[in-house]
Amino acid sequence: MGNMVSVINTVDTSHEDMIHDAQMDYYGTRLATCSSDRSVKIFDVRNGGQILIADLRGHEGPVWQVAWAHPMYGNILASCSYDRKVIIWKEENGTWEKTHEHSGHDSSVNSVCWAPHDYGLILACGSSDGAISLLTYTGEGQWEVKKINNAHAIGCNAVSWAPAVVPGSLIDQPSGQKPSYIKKFASGGCDNLIRLWKEEEDGQWKEEQKLEAHSDWVRDVAWAPSIGLPTSTIASCSQDGRVFIWTCDDASGNTWSPKLLHKFSDVVWHVSWSITANILAVSGGDNKVTLWKESVDGQWVCISDVNKGQGSVSASVAEGQQNEQ
Amino acid sequence: MEKMSRVTTALGGSVLTGRTMHCHLDAPANAISVCRDAAQVVVAGRSIFKIYAIEEEQFVEKLNLRVGRKPSLNLSCADVVWHQMDENLLATAATNGVVVTWNLGRPSRNKQDQLFTEHKRTVNKVCFHPTEAHVLLSGSQDGFMKCFDLRRKDSVSTFSGQSESVRDVQFSIRDYFTFASTFENGNVQLWDIRRPDRCERMFTAHNGPVFCCDWHPEDRGWLATGGRDKMVKVWDMTTHRAKEMHCVQTIASVARVKWRPECRHHLATCSMMVDHNIYVWDVRRPFVPAAMFEEHRDVTTGIAWRHPHDPSFLLSGSKDSSLCQHLFRDASQPVERANPEGLCYGLFGDLAFAAKESLVAAESGRKPYAGDRRHPIFFKRKLDPAEPFAGLASSALSVFEMEPGGGSMGWFVDTAERYALAGRPLAELCDHNAKVARELGRNQVAQTWTMLRIIYCSPGLVPSANLNHSMGKGSACGLPLMNSFNLKDMTPGLGSETRLDRSKGDTRSDTVLLDSSATLVTNEDNEETEGSDVPADYLLGDVEGEEDELYLLDPDHTHPEEPECVLPQEAFPLRHEIVDTPPGPEHLQDKADSPHVSGSEADTISLAPMDSSFSLLSVSHALYDSRLPPDFFSVLVRDMLHFYAEQGDVQMAVSVLIVLGDRVRKDIDEQTQEHWYTSYIDLLQRFRLWNVSNEVVKLSTSRAVSCLNQASTTLHVNCSHCKRPMSSRGWVCDRCHRCASMCAVCHHVVKGLFVWCQGCSHGGHLQHIMKWLEGSSHCPAGCGHLCEYS
């Protein structure tokens, strides 16, 4: 029953320094990486290949994170950097170019995340200056900027949007009118908190919730994709080595309860949900990725761990993987 | 000289103490310099020239060198330097071109010693010779460098850089006669102090002005230069041609650079605009600063390490009118803050993971920049192979997949493509989909389809072999359990359904009925915990949840007060049941008696004896035909769909929803359905399964979903007369001012369905054209075309 987690592709990125983020696009065919060496690279990873498509230069400091926009807006990638800038790159006629540069932050920009496509092109950026800015594309190359100042004291490390869910039935909507979504996202920061933000009717962003459980910097937050689930789920990880799963069952979205997934011995850097939101991948300071799944009794169980050795991978047994299918 | 050596001795044994601190100055600082005793610092600016004592807890102002009533331009300092051998000797560079020396040993209030007014423009830099007490060098905006002997009244020699302006000059620490100078045009020159006629060497170091340079305190040949191009470069000057050893890329132009004492690869930089921070870089790690001091609120103008052999104390002056002492251990370390890992779940269940390679691995197994030869890597520098990569980090990026073969979401694609959702009788659809699921090894799903078929289709239509198969499975799984409940756990007095008028002899049919429903649940359980012990407990829990139905079925316990008892426990919380209900002993016994099999096993072999399934079949036949409406199961089916959705298999939820259509739709609230539909459609589109997605949209019963197909289709209309695009929304063409889309038959504007011949583009009202064509096949417009309509 055990399944091997195997390496299908070791990408030679030729990055000259540490890689800080790797993101696959909507269709799972392209991989964007970013590194301390100030570059962003895009690889075609179809069929286990690794063809460098683009080497994007424009940042003047380490690039922390990249994010793909929904393909309905074209091939668009956002990147954020230590140089306090956010750059939006776009592929036009086969070549990638910088289409917008946002320099509205006073310190390193640590995280970028595109809103669900239903809202249009909106990018949330979290910075070490404690602010979160929201860039909205208003057409013809123009971006409107909204800023939440002092979102997190000392700095914001991660932002993650809630999936687009419409309050109330669509049937009630007058035909032809766009459904009114409630836009929400989560952010994690150096104040050890996860904060949930909601757009008010007047277009202003307001803090809706404060989730408190971590005892050190929150490193990553990931709002689970909503696939057939009425509940909202957020995963968070922190410098304190703990990973929490936050769930909210009530319709008003105000009562969140944390469940400790695991306490690791080292910093936990990333959490990432599988596409159907039933497996959580966690990567920690020990160079290890573990996969977690909620068991029938509501406990989170490690179903696999992936050790990253020197290029090759020692795979371990994954129980119950087949049932995934 | 005697006095000085005594000071040195005294200092040799002392230890620097202090903390991170700052003090406010009266005016912005332009430069600072430390006395050789490391206990005093001089701050110079346009309107400030003071000496501060560096005490343990604070800076204490010791001396103000700006004396006299009217401020002289000679006191407007661009640079200041404290002699490293004579603690009484200072030199300043004035913005008016004057070089001034100061003797702190003078008894009068005015310590000004000598004045050299040889430069024509601002003097950017002054520098004492490291070992020669009387030699001073200056570099000016006028393009000249001058060497002064302080025992004489004027300069000893003048060096012409043949360039606009000199930004920095510095004596080599090791080569007695050598100094380096940097220029606004990007050049660096190397001079021999004895040969003012021409420079020894010149090379272009930066793109744009080179603002600063610093000789390495230990490595005789290393010179660091910083420029407006935001780079710091380290040059090996010992070779015939200056060789670039390292290049650090900062985020703003580099105004000052200072090697860190006792740390061979470290240097500190500050910028002259935008960035107020001071950075300490490991030149081998050129992209991320090793340390960062963020105290200043305006541009940092001067930096100096407090003691030439102490790496932890850094002093700085700034335009924000403050003087700071920074402790290295208080610095923020961006490297430590930097995220060393990248993680991403891919669409197909694959995982991209980038992690820092261990340094050992990096050193031994590293092939520097081999790899992608298809694309040249620009900005790539050759690394010195002799140099260990102690400070350099690299990452390995791997893509993992969850299972050898198609990737763990492969089933999704296959299933989506092969499922039949409409166009055939329900029974066939269920069978087909069960087959698809089975072939993909998704036994639970397959069984669910089979059960659905049994529930909703008249068994008379079912090929008996098929039914046997499924029923067999069902009985194998659920029958024993059900029996135990049936016989023991029924509580009298609970509600029942009056229309089920059955005799006691029908207990057997109860079993069958529940049996099938229980199988549904069983399957679901198995999906989660296959091969583990959990299903045993869990089953019990689930069945408990269905107690209501058990009661309902019992015709003997009709409760008079609740004739229409609705299920009290809708959407029962499965999970709690597990915890709360320990498996009863009878139950375990029953289980032991009968073969309990997990879903997957059950699927491949029918374990139930042939005769038992036969009897089941016949009973259920009677049951369905005569009494039990499929409605009865709707709660179960609803829960089943919810379960699948919760498990992340929204595909199953939607597929069943479509296949069953009205049979189940009313039991699930509209919003949930919509949510499932949109989730599934979104997934299908991600997998580029456009056809399936289209079909699902078409088949969906939710209005919000089905209108998705009508979105984003644009119809372009041209005027039928002038053939130009119709720009306005009206019926009249903007250009030829005639009505477009006239009916060729009635000559009125068509304001609804317009049908036209694609050959001659004439047309009109659908009914008119149809009528016309009955009589003639020629175009009604009289154009002579033989119109064809499909």
Side-chain angles (χ1 to χ4, degrees), chain B residues 299-497:
Chain B
V299 172
T300 307
T301 47
I303 48 176
W305 294 94
R306 190 168 154 192
H307 188 274
H309 293 289
D310 183 287
S312 50
F313 289 88
L314 180 72
L315 298 164
S316 68
S318 160
K319 280 245 189 306
D320 66 3
S321 305
S322 75
L323 173 68
C324 272
Q325 172 169 274
H326 312 275
L327 248 65
F328 201 77
R329 67 175 147 85
D330 294 338
S332 69
Q333 293 179 291
V335 181
E336 295 304 309
R337 256 200 243 178
N339 186 344
E341 287 170 1
L343 178 68
C344 172
Y345 233 118
L347 181 63
F348 293 88
D350 36 2
L351 206 59
F353 179 46
K356 198 169 136 184
E357 279 177 322
S358 67
L359 290 172
V360 183
E363 271 178 60
S364 58
R366 194 182 163 86
K367 296 170 285 175
Y369 315 125
D372 214 319
R373 287 179 201 85
R374 281 159 295 200
H375 302 269
I377 308 294
F378 306 103
F379 301 93
K380 183 167 86 183
R381 282 174 321 286
K382 255 260 189 295
L383 286 164
D384 184 359
E387 183 82 8
F389 295 101
L392 189 66
S394 71
S395 295
L397 175 63
S398 306
V399 180
F400 300 93
E401 70 175 3
M402 291 307 127
E403 203 198 56
S408 74
M409 284 299 274
W411 62 270
F412 178 89
V413 179
D414 282 349
T415 309
E417 279 173 341
R418 293 174 56 192
Y419 266 180
L421 299 178
R424 285 191 254 171
L426 176 61
E428 268 181 53
L429 292 176
C430 289
D431 281 344
H432 175 87
N433 294 344
K435 189 163 153 268
V436 168
R438 204 156 30 240
E439 281 170 13
L440 292 168
R442 308 180 67 217
N443 301 313
Q444 290 72 34
V445 174
Q447 231 169 340
T448 307
W449 281 113
T450 312
M451 298 324 295
L452 287 173
R453 166 199 214 287
I454 292 166
I455 293 170
Y456 289 100
C457 303
S458 165
L461 301 169
V462 183
S464 62
N466 198 328
L467 188 61
N468 270 349
H469 178 61
S470 46
M471 289 311 285
K473 274 179 310 184
S475 62
C477 270
L479 178 58
L481 295 173
M482 283 306 137
N483 276 342
S484 72
F485 270 96
N486 250 349
L487 301 175
K488 300 187 178 87
D489 291 353
M490 291 231 227
T491 321
L494 269 173
S496 84
E497 199 143 19

Side-chain angles (χ1 to χ4, degrees), chain A residues 164-184:
Chain A
V165 179
V166 185
S169 176
L170 285 179
I171 298 304
D172 304 335
Q173 300 289 331
S175 60
Q177 193 178 321
K178 271 202 168 180
S180 56
Y181 292 103
I182 292 182
K183 297 176 195 146
K184 278 188 197 182

Side-chain angles (χ1 to χ4, degrees), chain B residues 198-275:
Chain B
R198 61 174 184 87
C199 67
E200 298 288 297
R201 192 192 285 174
M202 180 169 87
F203 61 94
T204 302
H206 289 268
N207 190 5
V210 189
F211 291 133
C212 54
C213 67
D214 196 34
W215 288 95
H216 197 284
E218 294 150 43
D219 278 288
R220 69 192 273 127
W222 282 20
L223 179 73
T225 58
R228 195 172 64 188
D229 59 2
K230 304 176 183 177
M231 288 195 245
V232 175
K233 293 183 180 180
V234 178
W235 306 88
D236 182 355
M237 308 294 282
T238 53
T239 49
H240 182 62
R241 287 176 59 123
K243 191 172 128 199
E244 186 185 322
M245 307 283 296
H246 298 284
C247 177
V248 174
Q249 323 209 354
T250 73
I251 64 170
S253 60
V254 182
R256 305 268 190 231
V257 58
K258 290 278 178 234
W259 287 99
R260 184 174 175 210
E262 310 292 314
C263 293
R264 194 162 179 257
H265 293 105
H266 284 197
L267 47 79
T269 65
C270 64
S271 169
M272 57 174 51
M273 48 179 69
V274 187
D275 197 350

